[in-house]
Structures are given as C-alpha cells and as structure tokens.
Amino acid sequence: SYSIIRRMTTVDLLKQQAEIAFREFLEPLEGLSERQAWATLPDGGSDYLHTGGSIQNIVLHVASGKFMYGSISFKNSEIRWSALADRIESFEPDWAKALEFLHEAHAYWMESWKDLTDADLVVDRPRFDALWPTWKILQTVIAHDSWHGGQLALLRYAGLNGESPPPSEAEDI
C-alpha cells in the first residue's frame, strides 16, 4: 500500500530496486546448461558488448562489476582487479562456479552499502577514475543488472549451444 512507500527511505527503495533487478537478471539463467551459457551470437557489428558475448561472459562481467563497485566505492579498494582476474581464471569455464561467483558478488555488493542512510546518497565516492555521488553509483549498478539482464534474455531466447568455452573473461580484466 502507499503508506508503506511513505515510510520507506530512499536507501530502502534503492535496496529493493537492486534486489528486483538482480532477480530479473537471474530469470534467464534458470535451468541453463553449460553449453547454452557458452553460446555466442555471430559478431554483427561494432557495438561494444563489454564481454566476449556469451551468457557466461556476461555473468562474469556483471559479477566483477559488483565486486569492484562495492570494493572501490564502499570498502576502500579491498579487492584488486588482478585478484579478481586470478579468481575467475581459477574456475573458468565451469558454469556452476560462475553462477556461485555471481551470487557471491551480489551478496558482497549489497553488504558493501547496507549501512547507508539517505544523507549518504549525496556523498561523493570513488568510482574507478572519478568521484561520483553515492546515489549515482547505486543506480549505475542497478541499471547494469537490468541492461545485461536484457542481453541474457535475448541470448537465452536465441536457443544456441556453444561447442567450446567462450573467451576468458579474466583476460579482459
């Protein structure tokens, strides 16, 4: 009801949006086989996909983003890109381990900003090579799940199977 919304803080709303976006990101992954996760569409242009184009690459890209945004923006850069690349390399191309990594990344992301208040939303925080207001960092990761979730849905709908593992996502880090 509307009375619940009136009592909800902006941070609570952002947490709810983050969980909804992540659930929607996961939907196309339900029951997906490893061969389906490895499939890629033919390269059709110059658009930058941020990944090698497979479902598995997208999953690892999104997971990496969650770890790095959480680490850089809220945890004093406790995780380094090189450590993340080594971690991914240790289990690639195992699809089940990629999914575990994704869930771990989402839990880390949500935990990294769990104590924020609405007043914190305007505080500038590090975001890779610039400072951004906290609200923009949160909204970026939420939108990132939604953006790549749409890619996952399309790839799943294409019904392709990969014959071999996709290019290493760790090499792109």
Side-chain angles (χ1 to χ4, degrees):
S1 87
Y2 293 113
S3 63
I4 291 172
I5 293 172
R6 281 191 294 248
R7 289 190 307 254
M8 183 180 281
T9 67
T10 304
V11 170
D12 289 337
L13 180 60
L14 287 163
K15 287 176 183 176
Q16 187 175 57
Q17 288 176 335
E19 292 297 352
I20 290 168
F22 185 63
R23 277 195 310 272
E24 290 173 350
F25 180 87
L26 292 174
E27 284 177 16
L29 304 178
E30 290 177 19
L32 198 71
S33 73
E34 187 165 66
R35 288 188 62 216
Q36 289 171 310
W38 290 353
T40 58
L41 293 172
D43 187 358
S46 61
D47 289 344
Y48 178 56
L49 296 176
H50 305 282
T51 73
S54 73
I55 288 174
Q56 181 159 330
N57 287 130
I58 293 167
V59 162
L60 294 175
H61 166 74
V62 167
S64 297
K66 287 175 180 279
F67 274 120
M68 294 314 297
Y69 270 97
S71 174
I72 293 167
S73 299
F74 301 104
K75 298 276 197 172
N76 200 29
S77 296
E78 70 182 11
I79 298 173
R80 300 287 183 201
W81 282 108
S82 58
L84 201 59
D86 290 347
R87 175 105 185 272
I88 292 170
E89 198 169 59
S90 76
F91 64 77
E92 274 185 320
D94 187 304
W95 174 234
K97 289 194 181 339
L99 288 174
E100 289 173 16
F101 184 72
L102 173 65
H103 285 279
E104 181 185 341
H106 182 69
Y108 178 87
W109 164 245
M110 295 302 294
E111 189 279 328
S112 74
W113 55 282
K114 70 178 174 44
D115 295 327
L116 290 182
T117 67
D118 283 1
D120 295 321
L121 294 175
V122 295
V123 173
D124 286 339
R125 295 177 186 276
R127 186 259 178 204
F128 308 115
D129 61 349
L131 293 176
W132 278 13
T134 302
W135 68 265
K136 188 173 181 179
I137 292 167
L138 300 175
Q139 186 56 42
T140 296
V141 176
I142 292 166
H144 195 243
D145 279 3
S146 296
W147 171 264
H148 287 296
Q151 290 178 330
L152 294 176
L154 181 62
L155 286 168
R156 177 74 185 258
Y157 178 76
L160 303 173
N161 286 302
E163 297 300 320
S164 59
S168 172
E169 192 64 23
E171 289 178 13
D172 286 341
I173 292 179

